[in-house]
Amino acid sequence: MGAQLRVYKRRIKSVTATKKITKAMEMIAASRIVKAQRQVAASTPYATELTRAVTAVATGSNTKHPLTTEAESPVRAAILLITSDRGLAGGYSANAIKAADQLTERLRGEGKEVDTYIVGRKGVSYYGFRERKVTESWTGFTDNPTYTDAKKVAGPLIAAVQQDTAEGGVDELHIVFTEFISMLTQTPVQNRLLPLSLEKAAEESEKKGEILPLFDFEPSAEDVLDALLPRYVESRIYNALLQAAASKHAATRRAMKSATDNAGELIKSLSRLANAARQAEITQEISEIVGGANALADATAGSDK
């Protein structure tokens, strides 16, 4: 076997092993998407109804509360960025980071200071490499988040909202995550969690033909909003974590399918080159044999003379 043919066969073996790995990762991601979709579908109604309840309480009272009241001159905002702990998902984390950068620039353009909170190692490493300040970060659960994880993330954010800005608190809370629309479409979105936009919530209810219920508040509307604030933030963050997890698995599946297909095409190309190299070796061997036979025949004919 010639040196060139050995090189081709070695590369074919290596690419074949890579193809097996990417195919396995594609199948694993596909199986995880189903579970993630179910969790998103299960959490969305709770978060939606809780938002409607908060909207109803706020519109039915004149209480000023951080959950629903706009600051007269907001000076500081918090951004929660949700990325992934793992790579091999195409531009999933990069697109979310880009959306967060755009939101940060817009808020700073409005004269606000920005505190950044990050979920996921990809976002943490991105900000760390560029020496950007991160107020707090969490890692290790982005593939399969639980409500406990959402509460852990929501705790410092709720405390920042309830704290006075002079003491390090924030006037606004924004969240950037990747929304799962379908197996083929996942879109980075920027949502403002606090203060809740009552007009926007009311418009969405009208579009759906929903009527906000009437509530009696005990002991007071302010106490009800105090109780709903952490639940609202936790439910929204939990739903965003689930949406991001489903989006990440879909992105991984798509990236691994592309890698598997590319490996298959590369194997075909290398196989054709290996066959051509083998045919060239065979042709050369035949030529050498024929040449040797002719030389031997000529030598034998000369001796007979």
Side-chain angles (χ1 to χ4, degrees), residues 132-160:
R132 297 184 184 178
K133 181 182 177 182
V134 177
T135 305
E136 195 159 349
S137 62
W138 303 265
T139 60
F141 55 80
T142 57
D143 282 354
N144 186 28
T146 63
Y147 196 81
T148 302
D149 297 322
K151 291 181 68 175
K152 181 169 61 176
V153 174
L157 295 170
I158 294 171

Side-chain angles (χ1 to χ4, degrees), residues 130-209:
R130 286 158 181 78
E131 297 183 350
R132 297 184 184 178
K133 181 182 177 182
V134 177
T135 305
E136 195 159 349
S137 62
W138 303 265
T139 60
F141 55 80
T142 57
D143 282 354
N144 186 28
T146 63
Y147 196 81
T148 302
D149 297 322
K151 291 181 68 175
K152 181 169 61 176
V153 174
L157 295 170
I158 294 171
V161 170
Q162 293 175 330
Q163 193 174 15
D164 189 83
T165 53
E167 300 175 357
V170 298
D171 298 307
E172 298 176 359
L173 172 58
H174 300 259
I175 183 170
V176 178
F177 66 99
T178 306
E179 182 180 12
F180 181 85
I181 298 173
S182 68
M183 294 285 286
L184 298 177
T185 307
Q186 302 86 42
T187 307
V189 294
Q190 309 167 2
N191 289 339
R192 192 182 76 173
L193 294 186
L194 296 174
L196 178 63
S197 178
L198 300 180
E199 294 180 358
K200 183 178 179 180
E203 288 177 1
E204 291 179 354
S205 297
E206 290 179 2
K207 289 180 181 179
K208 297 178 182 178

Side-chain angles (χ1 to χ4, degrees), residues 230-242:
R231 301 291 178 269
Y232 167 76
V233 176
E234 290 167 6
S235 66
R236 282 299 177 184
I237 291 177
Y238 181 51
N239 184 259
L241 288 171
L242 293 177

Side-chain angles (χ1 to χ4, degrees), residues 14-286:
S14 175
V15 175
T16 301
T18 302
K19 182 180 177 181
K20 291 180 180 179
I21 295 173
T22 56
K23 184 63 177 179
M25 295 181 68
E26 177 190 346
M27 299 301 292
I28 292 172
S31 65
R32 288 177 175 175
I33 293 174
V34 177
K35 179 182 177 182
Q37 283 181 294
R38 290 174 181 171
Q39 290 178 321
V40 171
S43 68
T44 299
Y46 175 77
T48 302
E49 289 301 318
L50 189 55
T51 303
R52 291 180 69 243
V54 171
T55 304
V57 174
T59 54
S61 67
N62 296 322
T63 302
K64 291 187 177 181
H65 193 275
L67 186 61
T68 57
T69 305
E70 296 270 0
E72 293 183 1
S73 300
V75 296
R76 182 179 283 111
I79 296 178
L80 174 62
L81 168 61
I82 300 178
T83 61
S84 174
D85 286 324
R86 303 171 184 270
L88 302 177
Y92 165 78
S93 293
N95 291 335
I97 292 171
K98 182 179 179 181
D101 287 344
Q102 293 173 348
L103 177 59
T104 300
E105 290 300 318
R106 178 170 65 82
L107 293 174
R108 286 176 177 169
E110 296 172 357
K112 301 171 186 174
E113 297 180 20
V114 178
D115 293 341
T116 304
Y117 298 76
I118 299 179
V119 174
R121 291 190 179 91
K122 289 299 179 180
V124 173
S125 62
Y126 178 88
Y127 275 69
F129 180 76
R130 286 158 181 78
E131 297 183 350
R132 297 184 184 178
K133 181 182 177 182
V134 177
T135 305
E136 195 159 349
S137 62
W138 303 265
T139 60
F141 55 80
T142 57
D143 282 354
N144 186 28
T146 63
Y147 196 81
T148 302
D149 297 322
K151 291 181 68 175
K152 181 169 61 176
V153 174
L157 295 170
I158 294 171
V161 170
Q162 293 175 330
Q163 193 174 15
D164 189 83
T165 53
E167 300 175 357
V170 298
D171 298 307
E172 298 176 359
L173 172 58
H174 300 259
I175 183 170
V176 178
F177 66 99
T178 306
E179 182 180 12
F180 181 85
I181 298 173
S182 68
M183 294 285 286
L184 298 177
T185 307
Q186 302 86 42
T187 307
V189 294
Q190 309 167 2
N191 289 339
R192 192 182 76 173
L193 294 186
L194 296 174
L196 178 63
S197 178
L198 300 180
E199 294 180 358
K200 183 178 179 180
E203 288 177 1
E204 291 179 354
S205 297
E206 290 179 2
K207 289 180 181 179
K208 297 178 182 178
E210 299 174 344
I211 300 176
L212 293 176
L214 298 176
F215 290 98
D216 290 329
F217 311 128
E218 291 185 7
S220 66
E222 185 176 1
D223 290 332
V224 173
L225 289 173
D226 284 338
L228 289 179
L229 173 61
R231 301 291 178 269
Y232 167 76
V233 176
E234 290 167 6
S235 66
R236 282 299 177 184
I237 291 177
Y238 181 51
N239 184 259
L241 288 171
L242 293 177
Q243 295 257 12
S247 299
K248 189 268 177 185
H249 294 318
T252 297
R253 176 183 175 276
R254 188 167 59 251
M256 291 301 100
K257 185 180 186 306
S258 178
T260 302
D261 294 342
N262 291 339
E265 292 298 322
L266 183 57
I267 289 172
K268 290 180 182 179
S269 177
L270 290 172
S271 297
R272 284 193 290 267
L273 293 173
N275 290 337
R278 183 169 177 273
Q279 290 172 358
E281 287 184 8
I282 293 173
T283 301
Q284 183 179 358
E285 290 175 0
I286 293 174

